[in-house]
Amino acid sequence: MSLKPRRVDFKETWTNLLGTVEGVITCGQVKRATWNDRFSDVYALCVAFPEPLGDQLYNETKSFLEDHVSKLHMDVCESGEENVLAIYHRHWREYSKGSNYLNLLFGYLNTRLYKKTKKSDADRIYGTFTGSSEEFTGSSEDNVLEIGKLGLDIWKRLMITPLKDVLLKLLLKEIKKDRLGDSINQGVIQGVILSLVNVEQYKKKRPLQLYEELFEEVFLDETGSYYKQEANKLLDEFSCSEYMEKVSQRLDDENLRSRKFLHGSSYSKVTHKCQEVMVAAHLSFLHSECKIMVQKEIRHDLKNMYNLLHPIAGGLEVLIDHQQKHTKHLGLDAVSNLKGDNIPQQFVENILEIYTQQRELIQSVYSGDLKFIGALDRACTTVVNHRPSQRVPCKSPELLAKYCDTLLKKSSKGMSENEVDDKLTNSVTVFKYLDDKDIFQRFYARMLARRLIYAQSMSMDAEEAMINKLKQACGYEFTNKLHRMFTDISISRSDLQNKFSAFIKDEAIDLGISFSILVLQAGAWPIGQSNLPTFSMPQELEKSVNMFESFYNKSFSGRKLTWMHTFCSGELKLNYLKEPYFVTVGTFHMAILLTFNNSITCTFADIMESTRLPEPELVKQIQTLVDTKIIVTQDSSIVDEKSALMLNMGYINKRTKFKITTTVQKDTTQDVEHTHTAIDEDRKLYIQAVVVRTMKARKILKHNLLIQEVISQSKSRFSPSISMIKKCIESLIDKQYLERTPKSTDEYSYIA
């Protein structure tokens, strides 16, 4: 075939082409050779000499398609209302498929159309394009479309537009029959609806306009009306639980129906319309049932309630509020009126039990919704920080510290290290809800100090793992002192002890006793150095103490040692009984018992002169020994300054090795009060530091803004009271760190 332009007889060529066009548009059989010949004919007409005949070919094709669609329209109209959808669908399938093939056959004509109507970049920028469709079609009213698009446009104008009311009525009727459970032809209904989409699929702007305006808007209105009546009917006949079941089923059915018949863009719109009339319109009814369902924890109903309310704006707020109140009620019941010896364990494990139950409920019923997790966190925070009276400090930090202390002590029998680690991990969950984390830190540090000093820790690995958990929760600053305590113990028990032993060996000195020492940093350990009782070291210990001081002063210049006798202990062998006993006692008890080396009877005054202990402290120490029956009083069991004391020569104990616990190893009421007092002082210093740091950066700040900034920076450690912040600000004004600005009484400025 020659590609050169030549003279072409349009009438003869169109006659040959028309038969093939009819075969293609009706999806008839067209031989390959014929297809190729007709393709060549289209090309020949478009490049004909001396004048291209493309415009005539376009107009003739358009006229043919209009006549063809008009005949199909007549066929649909004459088929009877009950057959309209089926006949329409059959013709549409054939026509849409045929128009696609026809578009291929007229491919060269489409190319020529595109070149003639395409604006250049200069035309778009400067607006110099003056050509119009008249150059090609001779009509300014007609838009030049590719043949395939032209066929779809003709179908829309001559088939859909005249039939739109009939099609809409019949489609809605068939969909209603499907809702009622009647049998319908799904393929036909889907095909007719999607034809409204496909007929304008070539459009770049709003390709769904016909579908939305002709069908979707009316369908959504009809769907809303139908399910509004359905909802009212269900409310009259069923309970709330049954109503939610029915509505959920209706929503699932309509969602499936959308996917059977409609375009994807309609799925969410249909669901939203159903939710609007069946759920949002009856929120007050559903909300009224939430409280009972939450209190009784009816999981199936709660899950249905959540699924229905979740898509509705503001629908979950009432359910979330009831869930939070319920969790708070359960928690307060669980931690109130605890009795027995293991109150810390009851407190922590009861909270963890409630937390675990509610967390599992949120995961299974509310799909782990973050709003419900937030409600759980708020409820647990309220429970953990609950105090019966504002005058009474919150006990939770102390109880949690005691719980951890119980787990980490050697006395926690019956549990493996993995079980202890799991419990400690869970305890951090409770710790995160504490407002007063600084109180926990203070008590935990005191208890850790006792465990380390008296070697009561179950495992040093477990101790370090717990500190790392706290560091992850609150940062390095929170656990800095705890890490330093570990470092002191490690250095003392290995490096320092080995060096002292080497020193004794080099000096060829025999101490006469087994002597070990712990050197602790004063700033890291929660051990007060004030109000230490006077004490005269027993002669048996003086040599060891003096030698260690000599060794330490040689090794570390500029450091001062303060002996904390209240934390020291020693092991004595009781040789005066029928069988020997080994008893571990504190240094004060040791000094008292050693006075009986020379006589089995001593007066209170003799012991006081030997030990140099203050009378109240000595009474307390002797009373402990009397209570354990190692020594006895000659007059009464109550020790005073007139008491005469003697060894109990008939003392019997089931164990040959035992320990007498000193008072310093137990928390007294005074110790707890002292701890809280120290915490208040630390808080004041912390707040003052925050105020100074903030004012140094801001220079001038309003009172309320300063208060908010202090609360914001302090909340990771504790919740400061407004009154405490005000007192700290006044204190800083007195110290001339701040001053009130002359212009305003509620504004402060920083004094450099």
Side-chain angles (χ1 to χ4, degrees), residues 416-428:
S416 66
E417 285 193 17
N418 289 336
E419 290 175 328
V420 170
D421 186 65
D422 290 341
K423 287 181 177 291
L424 290 173
T425 301
N426 291 333
S427 70
V428 174

Side-chain angles (χ1 to χ4, degrees), residues 406-643:
T406 303
L407 292 175
L408 291 167
K409 274 184 176 178
K410 288 180 179 178
S411 57
S412 57
K413 297 179 181 179
M415 286 191 292
S416 66
E417 285 193 17
N418 289 336
E419 290 175 328
V420 170
D421 186 65
D422 290 341
K423 287 181 177 291
L424 290 173
T425 301
N426 291 333
S427 70
V428 174
T429 301
V430 180
F431 168 76
K432 290 177 180 178
Y433 291 124
L434 284 176
D435 285 341
D436 300 325
K437 291 182 174 63
D438 56 337
I439 298 180
F440 169 85
Q441 182 199 38
R442 180 69 68 141
F443 279 103
Y444 187 87
R446 284 172 55 83
M447 295 170 188
L448 173 63
R450 285 199 293 267
R451 293 196 299 274
L452 295 178
I453 291 172
Y454 299 115
Q456 294 177 337
S457 291
M458 178 190 73
S459 164
M460 295 303 285
D461 290 340
E463 293 280 9
E464 192 168 3
M466 182 60 186
I467 292 176
N468 287 332
K469 290 181 175 69
L470 295 175
K471 182 168 72 173
Q472 289 176 1
C474 279
Y476 175 75
E477 183 183 353
F478 186 83
T479 57
N480 182 27
K481 290 185 178 181
L482 305 182
H483 281 294
R484 288 165 61 190
M485 291 164 66
F486 257 91
T487 303
D488 288 348
I489 294 296
S490 176
I491 292 174
S492 297
R493 287 181 176 165
S494 56
D495 185 57
L496 194 63
Q497 191 66 44
N498 292 337
K499 288 180 178 178
F500 179 61
S501 299
F503 173 79
I504 296 298
K505 187 176 181 181
D506 293 342
E507 297 290 331
I509 298 172
D510 182 17
L511 298 178
I513 60 173
S514 177
F515 181 79
S516 62
I517 193 76
L518 296 176
V519 179
L520 314 177
Q521 299 178 65
W525 291 74
I527 299 173
Q529 298 183 44
S530 59
N531 300 323
L532 295 176
T534 56
F535 178 62
S536 177
M537 187 80 65
Q539 186 178 357
E540 291 84 352
L541 296 178
E542 284 183 357
K543 184 178 181 180
S544 299
V545 169
N546 292 334
M547 289 307 301
F548 183 81
E549 286 184 343
S550 175
F551 156 75
Y552 195 81
N553 290 330
K554 286 182 180 180
S555 301
F556 306 98
S557 61
R559 295 186 183 181
K560 181 183 177 182
L561 289 175
T562 301
W563 292 93
M564 308 297 293
H565 297 296
T566 52
F567 291 92
C568 299
S569 62
E571 187 177 75
L572 296 177
K573 183 179 179 181
L574 306 183
N575 295 313
Y576 58 89
L577 300 170
K578 293 181 181 180
E579 57 178 314
Y581 289 95
F582 295 89
V583 55
T584 302
V585 294
T587 308
F588 294 160
H589 287 157
M590 179 189 298
I592 293 169
L593 290 174
L594 288 175
T595 58
F596 289 93
N597 267 339
N598 301 322
S599 173
I600 64 171
T601 303
C602 290
T603 64
F604 183 90
D606 294 336
I607 298 174
M608 189 171 179
E609 182 181 356
S610 173
T611 62
R612 301 291 177 87
L613 282 170
E615 183 179 321
E617 183 66 29
L618 183 60
V619 169
K620 183 170 63 174
Q621 299 295 335
I622 294 176
Q623 187 66 55
T624 301
L625 294 173
V626 171
D627 292 341
T628 56
K629 299 180 181 179
I630 289 180
I631 60 177
V632 295
T633 57
Q634 293 181 350
D635 302 326
S636 66
S637 59
I638 303 300
V639 177
D640 54 31
E641 66 277 6
K642 299 178 181 179
S643 296

Side-chain angles (χ1 to χ4, degrees), residues 546-746:
N546 292 334
M547 289 307 301
F548 183 81
E549 286 184 343
S550 175
F551 156 75
Y552 195 81
N553 290 330
K554 286 182 180 180
S555 301
F556 306 98
S557 61
R559 295 186 183 181
K560 181 183 177 182
L561 289 175
T562 301
W563 292 93
M564 308 297 293
H565 297 296
T566 52
F567 291 92
C568 299
S569 62
E571 187 177 75
L572 296 177
K573 183 179 179 181
L574 306 183
N575 295 313
Y576 58 89
L577 300 170
K578 293 181 181 180
E579 57 178 314
Y581 289 95
F582 295 89
V583 55
T584 302
V585 294
T587 308
F588 294 160
H589 287 157
M590 179 189 298
I592 293 169
L593 290 174
L594 288 175
T595 58
F596 289 93
N597 267 339
N598 301 322
S599 173
I600 64 171
T601 303
C602 290
T603 64
F604 183 90
D606 294 336
I607 298 174
M608 189 171 179
E609 182 181 356
S610 173
T611 62
R612 301 291 177 87
L613 282 170
E615 183 179 321
E617 183 66 29
L618 183 60
V619 169
K620 183 170 63 174
Q621 299 295 335
I622 294 176
Q623 187 66 55
T624 301
L625 294 173
V626 171
D627 292 341
T628 56
K629 299 180 181 179
I630 289 180
I631 60 177
V632 295
T633 57
Q634 293 181 350
D635 302 326
S636 66
S637 59
I638 303 300
V639 177
D640 54 31
E641 66 277 6
K642 299 178 181 179
S643 296
L645 306 158
M646 62 180 296
L647 290 173
N648 182 4
M649 306 303 292
Y651 179 80
I652 298 175
N653 197 315
K654 293 180 181 179
R655 298 179 179 179
T656 55
K657 282 189 175 184
F658 59 94
K659 183 177 183 179
I660 298 176
T661 304
T662 58
T663 54
V664 75
Q665 291 180 253
K666 299 178 181 179
D667 265 336
T668 62
T669 305
Q670 291 80 3
D671 290 333
V672 173
E673 291 177 356
H674 175 73
T675 300
H676 281 287
T677 302
I679 290 168
D680 284 340
E681 293 302 317
D682 287 347
R683 285 183 173 183
K684 290 176 183 177
L685 294 175
Y686 185 88
I687 291 172
Q688 289 180 23
V690 171
V691 171
V692 171
R693 187 166 59 244
T694 302
M695 291 303 301
K696 188 174 182 180
R698 302 286 186 87
K699 303 303 181 186
I700 297 176
L701 203 61
K702 291 283 188 181
H703 174 80
N704 289 337
L705 293 176
L706 180 58
I707 295 288
Q708 291 174 10
E709 189 66 27
V710 171
I711 293 174
S712 176
Q713 292 191 37
S714 305
K715 65 182 180 182
S716 62
R717 293 177 61 87
F718 61 94
S719 296
S721 64
I722 302 298
S723 60
M724 180 180 285
I725 298 174
K726 289 181 177 179
K727 289 178 181 178
C728 291
I729 293 174
E730 292 297 330
S731 176
L732 290 172
I733 291 174
D734 293 339
K735 295 175 183 178
Q736 296 186 348
Y737 282 93
L738 309 177
E739 66 178 0
R740 289 185 172 87
T741 59
K743 297 179 181 179
S744 176
T745 57
D746 68 337

Side-chain angles (χ1 to χ4, degrees), residues 134-167:
E134 294 181 42
E135 296 180 8
F136 200 87
T137 64
S139 171
S140 60
E141 297 177 358
D142 297 329
N143 291 322
V144 179
L145 300 172
E146 294 181 3
I147 296 300
K149 297 177 181 178
L150 177 66
L152 295 177
D153 183 67
I154 291 171
W155 182 271
K156 172 189 169 184
R157 288 189 292 106
L158 301 181
M159 179 67 80
I160 294 179
T161 302
L163 289 175
K164 62 180 182 180
D165 294 334
V166 176
L167 291 176

